[in-house]
Amino acid sequence: MSERVFNLPNVITLLRLAAVPGVAWLILQQRWDAACWLFLAAAISDGIDGLLARWLKQMTQLGAALDTVADKALGVVTLVMLTQVGAIPLWVTLAILLRDSIIVLGALSYRGLAGHLDIHPTWLGKTHMFAELSLLSLVLGGLAGLLSLDDWLHALFIAVFIIAVASGVQYVWIWGAKARREREAIRLKPR
């Protein structure tokens, strides 16, 4: 039985992916109100498409893959653009990008070793994504004049930095242990 990939949750995910260049362009144009609202709509759609997929029983492999791509594209592009305009410090951006790069490279290495990859986000990984999207929303809200974050901004940067580093270390620890078990299983497998 094949999956029906053209469904409402996947359409919402595709719209989120389509919003990414719009958010980037609005940031470049320093149209902070519009960038903030489009980013928030896209970020909120992440929860909506997942809930609908489960509620309507329309979860698909394509949808899961697109959801991950859309989330990362929205987060990374917005993060880099806000860093480029000086709204987010480079050290925060580098921590997040390094974390994501290590996870992707580790997943590819593990797949090469084991021949399969079954990723389940950890609680800390989900916390990182929430913290990152919250930070981006708050920074955009501050640039749009909707919020005053002057007293809190540095603390937010530090918190997201710590969560990014901790989450990256956790993924390395978990997947490193899995890779060692896979290597051992391959070594002990009769030929």
Side-chain angles (χ1 to χ4, degrees):
M1 187 167 106
S2 65
E3 295 180 324
R4 182 172 166 226
V5 295
F6 191 76
N7 58 43
L8 182 58
N10 288 356
V11 169
I12 292 170
T13 302
L14 287 171
L15 289 173
R16 181 167 68 256
L17 192 56
V20 172
V23 171
W25 184 81
L26 290 167
I27 291 171
L28 278 175
Q29 299 301 312
Q30 295 186 3
R31 296 185 54 201
W32 304 120
D33 284 349
C36 179
W37 292 117
L38 182 57
F39 178 84
L40 282 174
I44 290 169
S45 78
D46 180 33
I48 293 171
D49 64 5
L51 286 172
L52 283 174
R54 285 186 287 284
W55 187 51
L56 299 172
K57 296 182 178 33
Q58 295 180 340
M59 294 173 23
T60 65
Q61 288 181 339
L62 176 65
L66 282 175
D67 186 63
T68 301
V69 169
D71 290 348
K72 281 297 155 203
L74 181 65
V76 167
V77 168
T78 305
L79 178 70
V80 169
M81 298 303 294
L82 288 174
T83 303
Q84 182 183 11
V85 298
I88 294 182
L90 184 60
W91 54 272
V92 174
T93 301
L94 291 176
I96 292 170
L97 294 178
L98 183 61
R99 171 206 178 266
D100 290 350
S101 298
I102 288 171
I103 290 171
V104 168
L105 292 173
L108 292 173
S109 297
Y110 182 85
R111 188 169 192 277
L113 170 72
H116 61 86
L117 183 63
D118 188 21
I119 297 178
H120 298 284
T122 65
W123 178 84
L124 191 53
K126 289 180 180 184
T127 301
H128 165 77
M129 195 66 207
F130 177 78
E132 180 184 336
L133 291 178
S134 296
L135 175 68
L136 297 173
S137 299
L138 292 170
V139 168
L140 282 167
L143 291 168
L146 302 171
L147 304 164
S148 177
L149 299 173
D150 297 338
D151 296 337
W152 294 96
L153 205 50
H154 190 70
L156 287 171
F157 292 146
I158 291 171
V160 171
F161 176 86
I162 290 169
I163 293 169
V165 170
S167 171
V169 168
Q170 182 188 42
Y171 276 109
V172 168
W173 183 273
I174 289 169
W175 287 93
K178 284 184 180 187
R180 286 188 294 279
R181 285 192 301 271
E182 281 290 333
R183 256 195 322 253
E184 187 63 21
I186 290 169
R187 191 181 69 76
L188 296 175
K189 189 175 182 179
R191 296 181 181 187

